Amino acid sequence: MKRMEPLQSLGAEGGTQETLETRELRYFLAVAEELHFGRAAERLGMAQPPLSRAIQQLERRLGVRLLERDRRGVALTDAGEVLLHEGRAALDAVTAAARRTRRSAGADDPAGRRNRLVLAVKAAASHELLHKLLDAYAAEPDAVEVEVLPSGTCEQGDMLRDGRADVALMHAPFNSLAGFDSEELLTEGQIAILPARHPLAARRTLTLADVTDIPDLPLARWSRDGTFLPGPGPEIHDQTQLAQLIALGRTVAIFPDSARAWLWAEHTAVPLTDAPPVVTHIAWPAHSRSLPLAALIRTATRL
């Protein structure tokens, strides 16, 4: 068990400081994620010696050891693990504040559009619900422009945290709603999307076991937190790639029932009898005070 070790051994003098600068956090996160000072320095575009000195200064100011250094490399202490988690959240919050402030004044838009709302959605999911929401909100007297930002399978939460999005349609159990306020909008079943010419496409229903172990049709793999789960199926980066690979008979995918809206003629959707229901939520940062966002959420809950 790694310890949160005080830094008497590093010669800390006087009291510790409980404030952090964003520059220090960026330096530390680079080292903590790379676990290598050379790679972290290259990532940051700086020399290694000043990076090492900056981390040592940060440890002295906080009064704890963040990294264990030896000939084998660099490892995080328990205190370092805490700062890695908290630091990511803190930097996301700072970035989000800057992005949303600029967006409110139109500074991020070539046309200078103010008070836009950015809505993150999983590509191909909740298609009909999204249409209804956008149409109903546009009819509101004080509606602002809503920019729809398609995302990967589990990216909506990151987009809310770092300010790329103001609101998102998220899907339990695939998305975590921790840290967000949310309202439930829709519950639906799941389907397997197969090549239309595959023998299983003729079935009226399937089970998860039927589609997760097809020798000639491996399950598609989406990125979660930047990594792909192991398996023989192709790594999927966007909806168009997935649609093409299914049509070519190279993979099968599992989606909420509403994904039928984007199927090609070369696809067949078959209901899964034992897949858990998918619940679509509209989610937003708990601290938001945006009046346009509040109006969008009221509209969503009336659908």
Side-chain angles (χ1 to χ4, degrees), residues 32-279:
E33 290 168 356
E34 299 290 344
L35 291 178
H36 190 282
F37 275 91
R39 290 194 298 269
E42 183 178 356
R43 169 174 151 183
L44 292 164
M46 63 188 298
Q48 182 173 333
L51 175 60
S52 298
R53 289 194 296 270
I55 298 300
Q56 291 171 357
Q57 181 181 15
L58 175 61
E59 289 179 316
R60 285 195 293 269
R61 288 180 59 240
L62 293 177
V64 296
R65 192 184 301 276
L66 300 170
L67 302 168
E68 296 289 357
R69 308 160 178 84
D70 58 31
R71 293 180 180 177
R72 292 175 297 178
V74 178
L76 289 169
T77 64
D78 282 355
E81 293 280 3
V82 171
L83 187 57
L84 174 61
H85 175 76
E86 297 287 346
R88 282 171 174 162
L91 280 184
D92 279 347
V94 170
T95 302
R99 282 176 168 158
R100 293 191 176 112
T101 298
R102 287 175 53 80
R103 187 151 60 238
S104 71
D108 66 335
D109 183 70
R113 294 171 297 175
R114 297 170 177 263
N115 291 317
R116 301 181 342 271
L117 288 175
V118 177
L119 170 62
V121 299
K122 176 182 171 183
S126 305
H127 187 76
E128 184 178 353
L129 173 65
L130 179 59
H131 267 290
K132 289 180 178 178
L133 173 58
L134 295 177
D135 288 347
Y137 178 67
E140 294 292 324
D142 297 323
V144 301
E145 182 174 352
V146 178
E147 178 181 333
V148 177
L149 184 62
S151 70
T153 303
C154 295
E155 293 180 341
Q156 300 99 308
D158 289 340
M159 290 177 170
L160 286 181
R161 279 185 283 269
D162 68 15
R164 283 176 288 168
D166 303 297
V167 60
L169 294 183
M170 300 175 70
H171 310 277
F174 306 112
N175 296 124
S176 172
L177 297 167
F180 304 120
D181 285 343
S182 65
E183 290 284 349
E184 182 178 322
L185 302 181
L186 174 70
T187 299
E188 59 186 321
Q190 297 195 63
I191 55 174
I193 303 177
L194 304 106
R197 292 183 293 180
H198 193 276
L200 287 179
R203 298 267 295 270
R204 297 187 63 180
T205 61
L206 292 168
T207 66
L208 287 171
D210 290 331
V211 298
T212 55
D213 191 24
I214 308 173
D216 61 336
L217 204 64
L219 196 64
R221 295 183 295 135
W222 290 90
S223 171
R224 293 195 179 191
D225 300 321
T227 61
F228 291 88
L229 295 176
E235 295 182 355
I236 302 301
H237 300 277
D238 58 58
Q239 178 190 338
T240 301
Q241 176 201 14
L242 175 63
Q244 183 77 52
L245 290 175
I246 295 174
L248 291 172
R250 302 298 177 89
T251 191
V252 60
I254 297 174
F255 268 88
D257 189 77
S258 55
R260 293 176 185 270
W262 62 265
L263 297 189
W264 295 3
E266 295 94 335
H267 301 156
T268 294
V270 181
L272 293 169
T273 57
D274 59 347
V278 176
V279 182

Side-chain angles (χ1 to χ4, degrees), residues 282-299:
I282 188 167
W284 64 95
H287 61 270
S288 176
R289 296 296 182 268
S290 166
L291 294 179
L293 175 57
L296 178 68
I297 294 162
R298 285 195 301 271
T299 301

